[in-house]
Amino acid sequence: MVQVDILGHRAYRGLYPENTLLAFDKAYEAGVDVIETDLQMSADGIVVVNHDATTGRIWNRDYTIGETKWEELQTLRCNDPKFADQRMPSFVEALKWAVEHPRAKLMLDIKFTNDKIILIKSFADMLKVKNDLAYWKKHIIWGLWTVDWYAFGVQTGILNDFPLVCITLSLHVAKSFVEYSKKLDNPHYKLSGVSLHFVSTWSDQFQQKWLPYLKENNVRIYVWTINHEIDFKYCNALPISGFVTDYPLQARSAISKYKRSDTVFQKPKIGSKEGLRFYAFLTLYSWIAQLLFSPWSQYKVIGQWSFSYLMLKLLKLIHFL
């Protein structure tokens, strides 16, 4: 039976300001197995913990992180009045927090919009906080979006013996990671897992084709971002290793209701209320997988906004992402 991990999405995004040390504390208290968090890099090369490339959504002034020095970024405060004391942590601060919390494990979602030097900087930060590679290999999971970053991590030696996960919306991108790992044929750089949108696992194609393929290649499956009890029921019926969620405590409770040995994946009736949502999400995922990864998806359609940018905005609006 596959062990199921709970991964706190941006630590504990559902109840606390995402990716703050407060959210880290609360996720740890909730007993998450892994804290999923995001890295960006400032103009002066400081690795910081933030999901977006800009600061306006969470913080009280809007900057582009890659164009702003850390000296300015660390003056920002959370724009939610209830948490006005919270600020953006540097990666060094997050690592120091992790060392102080011995059970903590971090999955680093590193945005491919950064320069690849962020991998080198992040690696150096680990050694600066604790000069013990064996320790970090037990507490850090690298999460990468494109296979060229995987290749860079191999060429530089940074990924040596670290767990590595491909994060993607596309099953074909996931396959490119698996095939690259097979081509390397090096146990020190083997792909550990793939982190997929949870709806992708509902399709017949995934269950008949991709599940056996991933199992054959000993690749663990994580799904994101899953928050509704009915979605845990569907996904817990599959051999999924980890659930990335905004609400860790509710997730643990939901999973406990559906023992894998007693749960069979069963699609809802198409005419039911739940069936309408289920099949609408499946159709939407199919469109996304085709459209977002097509060559023309980056063409600007409104000012500086590309089709893929507008599509992602819509998906966030309807809580698909």
Side-chain angles (χ1 to χ4, degrees):
M1 183 177 294
V2 177
Q3 177 186 345
V4 182
D5 288 339
I6 298 296
L7 290 79
H9 185 223
R10 306 181 201 173
Y12 205 142
R13 184 177 183 238
L15 296 180
Y16 305 97
E18 63 184 54
N19 286 324
T20 59
L21 294 184
L22 172 64
F24 277 48
D25 283 337
K26 296 301 183 181
Y28 192 81
E29 289 171 13
V32 299
D33 299 289
V34 180
I35 290 175
E36 184 271 350
T37 194
D38 308 277
L39 300 186
Q40 302 283 353
M41 189 168 62
S42 69
D44 49 345
I46 303 300
V47 181
V48 301
V49 179
N50 204 69
H51 178 271
D52 301 352
T54 55
T55 63
R57 183 173 60 85
I58 300 296
W59 310 105
N60 60 348
R61 290 192 298 279
D62 194 15
Y63 297 129
T64 298
I65 292 175
E67 299 172 1
T68 310
K69 291 185 177 181
W70 170 237
E71 181 182 17
E72 189 69 29
L73 292 173
Q74 63 184 320
T75 68
L76 298 175
R77 293 297 179 269
C78 182
N79 57 22
D80 184 336
K82 299 193 301 292
F83 301 103
D85 61 329
Q86 292 300 303
R87 61 180 185 81
M88 180 189 301
S90 69
F91 185 44
V92 163
E93 290 171 321
L95 292 169
K96 287 179 178 177
W97 176 92
V99 170
E100 292 167 359
H101 297 77
R103 189 171 40 79
K105 183 178 289 188
L106 306 180
M107 179 183 285
L108 309 177
D109 181 342
I110 304 181
K111 308 307 179 187
F112 57 85
T113 48
N114 282 280
D115 189 296
K116 290 187 181 71
I117 197 173
I118 192 174
L119 285 181
I120 297 172
K121 295 272 190 180
S122 302
F123 184 78
D125 281 348
M126 292 177 202
L127 296 181
K128 180 163 63 176
V129 170
K130 188 177 179 69
N131 191 16
D132 184 349
L133 264 181
Y135 174 87
W136 291 117
K137 289 171 183 179
K138 294 177 182 177
H139 292 268
I140 295 290
I141 303 169
W142 297 95
L144 304 178
W145 286 80
T146 59
V147 81
D148 58 309
W149 280 65
Y150 187 179
F152 181 78
V154 172
Q155 291 160 8
T156 56
I158 287 170
L159 298 179
N160 183 36
D161 286 333
F162 276 93
L164 168 68
V165 170
C166 161
I167 306 172
T168 186
L169 271 165
S170 167
L171 292 168
H172 293 287
V173 170
K175 182 179 180 182
S176 72
F177 272 76
V178 176
E179 293 302 313
Y180 182 74
S181 180
K182 288 169 64 177
K183 182 180 177 181
L184 285 174
D185 191 24
N186 186 333
H188 299 291
Y189 294 100
K190 187 181 185 305
L191 181 70
S192 307
V194 295
S195 186
L196 308 167
H197 193 281
F198 70 95
V199 174
S200 69
T201 66
W202 293 354
S203 68
D204 292 336
Q205 184 187 45
F206 178 84
Q207 294 176 32
Q208 294 168 12
K209 174 184 176 182
W210 294 101
L211 263 181
Y213 172 74
L214 295 171
K215 183 178 180 180
E216 175 188 340
N217 288 284
N218 197 28
V219 175
R220 303 182 79 194
I221 303 167
Y222 301 89
V223 291
W224 53 269
T225 302
I226 182 166
N227 292 318
H228 296 286
E229 184 169 319
I230 188 65
D231 298 332
F232 284 108
K233 180 180 180 181
Y234 295 137
C235 290
N236 203 43
L238 302 169
I240 288 169
S241 298
F243 297 105
V244 182
T245 179
D246 293 330
Y247 300 96
L249 284 175
Q250 293 91 323
R252 187 81 69 186
S253 174
I255 291 172
S256 69
K257 296 178 182 179
Y258 306 109
K259 293 183 178 179
R260 286 203 162 160
S261 56
D262 302 330
T263 307
V264 176
F265 185 88
Q266 189 170 12
K267 297 178 181 179
K269 293 181 180 178
I270 195 167
S272 66
K273 180 181 177 181
E274 187 51 44
L276 290 173
R277 174 181 178 271
F278 182 95
Y279 289 101
F281 270 31
L282 260 181
T283 301
L284 186 57
Y285 173 79
S286 177
W287 289 349
I288 293 165
Q290 294 179 53
L291 295 176
L292 285 185
F293 295 91
S294 64
W296 54 269
S297 67
Q298 298 305 315
Y299 292 165
K300 304 295 189 294
V301 292
I302 299 178
Q304 293 300 305
W305 293 351
S306 66
F307 174 81
S308 62
Y309 176 85
L310 293 173
M311 175 66 78
L312 289 170
K313 282 287 189 185
L314 174 63
L315 296 174
K316 290 176 181 177
L317 188 65
I318 65 173
H319 304 291
F320 191 81
L321 294 179

